Amino acid sequence: MARRRRSDEAGNPEYQRGDPMPIIEVDGLVKRFGEVEAVRGVSFEVREGEIFGFLGPNGAGKSTTIKILATLLLPTAGTARLAGFDVVRQPNQVRRAIGMVFQDPSLDDRLTAEQNLRFHAMLYGVPGDVARRRMDELLEMVELADRRGAKVRTFSGGMRRRLEIARGLLHSPRVLFLDEPTVGLDPQTRSRIWEYVRDLRQREGVTVFMTTHYLDEAEHCDRIAIIDHGRIVALDTPAALKSRVGGDVITIVTPDPQALAEGLRRRFGEDNVRVTGPRQVVVERDAGAEFVPRAVAAFPGLVEAVTVRQPTLDDVFLKLTGRAIRDEEASAVDRMRMSARFHGRVRR
Ligand SMILES: Nc1ncnc2c1ncn2[C@@H]1O[C@H](COP(=O)(O)OP(=O)(O)OP(=O)(O)O)[C@@H](O)[C@H]1O
Ligand SMILES: [Mg+2]
């Protein structure tokens, strides 16, 4: 991976040595909004060049944490450092080191793609010739070069998102924050955006910090923090997180889940038997395929249908919190958000 170490860049000199120092260090971060404790003592580190994700349901505190790291909100307690700079005491240095793609769209749709980018370059003091070169390169990357002169108003949701990503990268930040970068986009566009993100990391060594409630997207991250009610409940690689769910996940449809769950525990001594619905029992164990015929034979009439699958991050979340982050829930929220965006444009 190409790691960028530019000596002209304002940064903690410690980072120039190519050591494994984290680029983001968060310690005991707390944020209260009146009665609401949105972030409740969060600590973690992100290494340079990592794709790091926050996965959690609505209201978990993902955007609040990102906003504190991006110097847009002050923490109530705790500390956070980015590229060696304190987000409270050195906000200007932090801002120069980061790019940001917000959860809500923030382009000016009366301007063209190019005008939006030029405006951003001006705000960040990127010299004209550098900005032009960078703009060409980024518009090419997000496949908008041929639409650079068109007003953003005429762009689809996916095109706007791609332009926002290009804008976030224009001043060559060391860390790019992406808050729900793909929410409300179709699966094809979502996977294209992931290609850009990986490509970027490859080409520029940029560190990517993103949030999502799409479980499949969290799989693209090198490491994920699962966040719930303002706390990190687990932090690891997707594979390691999934290995916390013992073996295979066996879902059994049954007319009497309580009776089946009790029977399974008695007969097989299972710790990992859970009733997960009015007609559903879930068993986690190794060698699921061998277990199924034994369970069917042991409980005639109680097993109507069985599926065996590898654990997903949803299983991990369920195991850790007792609740599911369901994709249906996420899509319902997306629809609401998209509709709020559509109808609420004057508020921006
Ligand atoms: N400016 C604010 N004033 C008051 N409460 C806030 C404010 N911003 C966030 N909150 C509350 O803090 C909690 C965490 O919100 P946050 O936006 O960080 O969640 P999130 O994980 O990003 O959720 P989502 O997936 O919906 O984007 C929620 O209970 C929210 O209502
Ligand atoms: Mg959010």
Side-chain angles (χ1 to χ4, degrees):
M1 185 184 66
R3 287 195 132 196
R4 210 168 23 134
R5 301 271 176 203
R6 294 172 316 178
S7 52
D8 61 336
E9 196 168 58
N12 185 328
E14 294 286 299
Y15 281 107
Q16 308 304 323
R17 288 197 251 114
D19 60 17
M21 249 180 91
I23 192 149
I24 299 175
E25 302 152 271
V26 177
D27 191 17
L29 207 64
V30 172
K31 179 67 186 180
R32 279 189 216 102
F33 296 105
E35 296 284 284
V36 179
E37 202 171 17
V39 179
R40 308 179 182 197
V42 156
S43 303
F44 62 94
E45 292 181 348
V46 179
R47 297 171 205 136
E48 188 154 27
E50 226 180 347
I51 299 180
F52 185 87
F54 255 16
L55 172 69
N58 297 128
K62 305 182 295 293
S63 294
T64 304
T65 307
I66 279 206
K67 284 179 190 158
I68 294 171
L69 296 179
T71 77
L72 301 170
L73 277 178
L74 286 172
T76 309
T79 58
R81 295 174 77 76
L82 196 142
F85 299 114
D86 186 282
V87 298
V88 176
R89 287 183 289 109
Q90 298 164 294
N92 292 333
Q93 287 94 323
V94 171
R95 279 178 208 151
R96 272 198 290 276
I98 63 172
M100 178 89 203
V101 177
F102 295 98
Q103 184 165 349
D104 295 311
S106 64
L107 294 163
D108 189 331
D109 64 4
R110 297 161 304 177
L111 301 181
T112 66
E114 195 168 344
Q115 284 166 338
N116 268 284
L117 295 184
R118 236 192 267 132
F119 182 61
H120 182 87
M122 212 168 68
L123 282 181
Y124 277 82
V126 183
D129 52 333
V130 178
R132 260 191 303 280
R133 204 172 346 110
R134 188 84 182 139
M135 223 150 66
D136 290 347
E137 193 181 296
L138 289 167
L139 283 168
E140 203 65 55
M141 183 188 93
V142 298
E143 296 171 288
L144 286 174
D146 56 334
R147 297 295 298 271
R148 61 196 295 160
K151 291 222 162 82
V152 170
R153 196 191 300 142
T154 66
F155 282 15
S156 70
M159 290 162 76
R160 286 169 197 236
R161 222 49 184 151
R162 274 144 51 196
L163 183 59
E164 287 187 307
I165 293 173
R167 185 182 60 176
L169 290 163
L170 196 57
H171 55 290
S172 306
R174 295 176 69 179
V175 178
L176 179 67
F177 288 108
L178 299 167
D179 196 359
E180 310 258 359
T182 57
V183 91
L185 302 179
D186 60 90
Q188 217 174 339
T189 310
R190 283 167 60 192
S191 82
R192 284 295 292 143
I193 285 179
W194 273 104
E195 279 172 36
Y196 302 136
V197 170
R198 275 194 301 265
D199 185 40
L200 262 174
R201 190 258 295 268
Q202 198 65 34
R203 288 189 343 190
E204 312 205 354
V206 67
T207 305
V208 177
F209 187 132
M210 53 103 48
T211 72
T212 184
H213 51 239
Y214 290 121
L215 297 150
D216 52 334
E217 291 199 344
E219 302 265 356
H220 293 287
C221 297
D222 298 318
R223 287 189 309 146
I224 308 166
I226 296 184
I227 176 160
D228 188 35
H229 292 309
R231 289 205 174 86
I232 291 180
V233 293
L235 195 167
D236 219 324
T237 62
L241 286 171
K242 285 186 282 188
S243 74
R244 293 190 189 189
V245 178
D248 294 320
V249 177
I250 303 148
T251 307
I252 305 175
V253 178
T254 171
D256 190 345
Q258 298 300 342
L260 180 64
E262 266 170 47
L264 284 167
R265 286 190 192 109
R266 237 185 350 242
R267 177 103 181 208
F268 298 105
E270 295 291 343
D271 295 329
N272 295 328
V273 179
R274 280 178 286 121
V275 175
T276 51
R279 290 174 48 77
Q280 190 173 295
V281 172
V282 166
V283 183
E284 286 164 16
R285 60 167 292 151
D286 288 333
E290 290 161 33
F291 169 74
V292 170
R294 288 165 59 205
V296 173
F299 304 104
L302 276 183
V303 178
E304 285 178 2
V306 184
T307 54
V308 179
R309 59 176 175 78
Q310 301 279 298
T312 64
L313 288 169
D314 202 10
D315 298 313
V316 179
F317 191 83
L318 185 69
K319 196 179 176 84
L320 292 168
T321 68
R323 289 175 293 111
I325 316 181
R326 280 189 307 275
D327 278 335
E328 304 91 272
E329 184 185 290
S331 350
V333 172
D334 292 350
R335 278 195 297 276
M336 263 158 47
R337 280 195 184 130
M338 291 315 276
S339 131
R341 268 179 210 173
F342 188 74
H343 297 294
R345 197 150 285 158
V346 280
R347 273 183 288 142
R348 241 176 279 293

